Amino acid sequence: MADAFFQPISGMELPRFAGIPTFMRLPHVPEGHPRERDVQIGLLGLPWDGGTSNRPGPRHGPRQIRDYSTMIRAQHPVTGLRPFEAANCADLGDVGPNPVDGPDTLDRFERAFASLKAKGIRPLSAGGDHLCTFPVLRGIARAAPLGLVHFDSHTDLFPAYFGGKTLTHGNPFRNAVEEELLDPKRMIQIGIRGTMYDSADRDFAKAHGIRIVTIEELFARGIADVMAEAREIVGTKPAYMSYDIDFVDPSVAPGTGTPEWGGPNAYQAMQVVRECAGLNIVGADMVEVSPPVDPTGGTAWLAASLMFEMLCVMVAAL
Ligand code: MN
Ligand code: MN
C-alpha cells in the first residue's frame, strides 16, 4: 500500500489545470530525495530525439505528456484498480540528455536506469524517440534478458542506417537482441505496417524467432486472440513493454515523426495494453510523441492515457 506522501494531488482539492504539472500529479522525487528509497514505480522523461531519422520533435514529448497527464484521475474505469494507492509511484523528473552528443546521451540514460534498477525502482518512461529504449534496456537488462511486448507500426529491427554502426530509432531492438538484452523467443511486435525499405527486419526476426504480428493479422484475428498469444509468448518471467505512439492510426495520433495509415483507433490502442494484465512487466516506455507536428495536443493526451493503462499493468505485477 502506498502512503500519503505518494498520493497525486486530487482535482477535488486543486483544479487539474492548476499547479506544476508532474506526471499524473504525483510528487516529484528527484535523485537523492529522502523518499526515493520508497519509490516502487518511477515515472520519468527522456527528452531526446537524437536517434530520429526523419522528422524530429519527440525531445518535446515528456513536457507535453506531463501537462496532459494532469487530466488522469485516481481509478481505472474497468478494473477499479487505484494504482496510486496500490504502489508508491512518483515523478522522478527527466534524465538530462546531451542534445549534441548521441553516445554521451546513451551513456547518461544507461547509467540512470542502472541506478534505478539497483534501487529497486521499476521505470515507466516517456520519450523521446525509440532509440531511448536501447540505453534503458542496457541499464536494466544486462544481468538477464527480458521478454518484450512491443506496439509499433515498425519493427525497429533494421540494420544500421547511413553505413557504419549508426544507432537510430530504426534499430534499437536489433541491437538489444544482439547484445542479449532481450530474449528473441519471448518477443512479440504488434501492429507492423507501412511501406518498407526492404525485408531486412523481417529476415532478422525470422532468423531469431521473433514473432511479428502485422496490422492485417491483428485486425483479422482480433485483439483478444492476438494478445492471448502475446501472453503465451512472453510468459511469466520479467518483461518490458515498449509503446511507440505510431502504433495508433495517425487520424487519432498525428503527433509523431513517422506515421503510418491503417492503424488502431484510441479504444483499441488502450485495449491492447489492458490485455497485457498478468504479464510481469518490470519496465515500460511510451515513445515518439512529437508535439511540434501535432496540431491539437491530442496525441500527448492519448499517450498519457496509455501510460496510465501501462502503469496499472505494472502495479498489478508488483
Ligand atoms: Mn518505434
Ligand atoms: Mn514506429
Side-chain angles (χ1 to χ4, degrees):
M1 286 294 286
D3 66 49
F5 174 81
F6 290 102
Q7 296 312 299
I9 299 166
S10 170
M12 302 283 198
E13 291 164 23
L14 181 69
R16 289 183 287 154
F17 52 81
I20 295 167
T22 57
F23 281 118
M24 303 181 197
R25 311 191 89 195
L26 286 162
H28 180 208
V29 180
E31 191 169 18
H33 188 284
R35 296 305 307 272
E36 186 188 20
R37 70 172 73 91
D38 301 314
V39 175
Q40 293 172 283
I41 297 177
L43 287 77
L44 67 169
L46 301 176
W48 184 62
D49 53 22
T52 304
S53 58
N54 196 346
R55 301 187 296 170
R59 69 179 61 183
H60 303 291
R63 184 164 290 175
Q64 196 181 40
I65 294 171
R66 271 197 182 86
D67 188 2
Y68 277 90
S69 79
T70 61
M71 304 266 277
I72 295 288
R73 303 183 188 87
Q75 182 168 317
H76 193 281
V78 180
T79 64
L81 179 68
R82 299 174 68 83
F84 311 117
E85 291 177 8
N88 290 343
C89 306
D91 185 334
L92 307 183
D94 288 344
V95 184
N98 178 341
V100 293
D101 189 331
D104 181 35
T105 300
L106 295 171
D107 287 345
R108 288 170 188 231
F109 285 4
E110 179 182 349
R111 281 198 302 274
F113 281 79
S115 167
L116 293 181
K117 181 169 168 63
K119 293 168 188 161
I121 299 173
R122 294 185 173 192
L124 170 55
S125 50
D129 69 46
H130 222 154
L131 181 54
C132 293
T133 305
F134 183 50
V136 171
L137 292 173
R138 277 179 164 172
I140 68 173
R142 281 210 196 270
L146 297 171
L148 178 74
V149 192
H150 173 199
F151 302 108
D152 205 323
S153 61
H154 314 98
T155 63
D156 298 348
L157 291 174
F158 285 94
Y161 292 24
F162 318 120
K165 289 183 179 291
T166 313
L167 298 171
T168 75
H169 67 164
N171 56 30
F173 299 108
R174 188 185 188 98
N175 289 299
V177 168
E178 287 179 339
E179 290 195 6
E180 298 182 0
L181 307 171
L182 294 172
D183 175 357
K185 303 281 193 296
R186 295 179 56 229
M187 278 176 69
I188 185 164
Q189 306 185 295
I190 299 166
I192 308 306
R193 62 186 186 273
T195 56
M196 299 150 73
Y197 290 114
D198 54 34
S199 295
D201 61 331
R202 314 289 174 110
D203 296 343
F204 182 87
K206 194 177 263 184
H208 290 81
I210 298 167
R211 178 77 168 100
I212 291 177
V213 179
T214 62
I215 198 69
E216 290 78 15
E217 182 179 350
L218 180 66
F219 285 147
R221 287 173 54 195
I223 286 173
D225 191 35
V226 166
M227 293 312 297
E229 183 190 350
R231 292 193 298 273
E232 199 166 302
I233 287 173
V234 174
T236 53
K237 289 197 286 184
Y240 193 80
M241 184 189 300
S242 194
Y243 202 126
D244 184 327
I245 197 68
D246 71 30
F247 170 74
V248 189
D249 195 78
S251 59
V252 177
T256 195
T258 45
E260 307 288 356
W261 289 108
N265 63 30
Y267 181 77
Q268 294 161 331
M270 291 192 288
Q271 193 186 357
V272 292
V273 180
R274 293 174 184 176
E275 292 276 347
C276 289
L279 291 179
N280 185 9
I281 301 297
V282 299
D285 59 40
M286 164 54 61
V287 297
E288 299 286 355
V289 174
S290 184
V293 293
D294 187 0
T296 68
T299 306
W301 171 219
L302 178 60
S305 302
L306 290 168
M307 286 180 73
F308 181 79
E309 297 287 343
M310 295 158 88
L311 178 69
C312 287
V313 173
M314 292 178 72
V315 165
L318 282 170

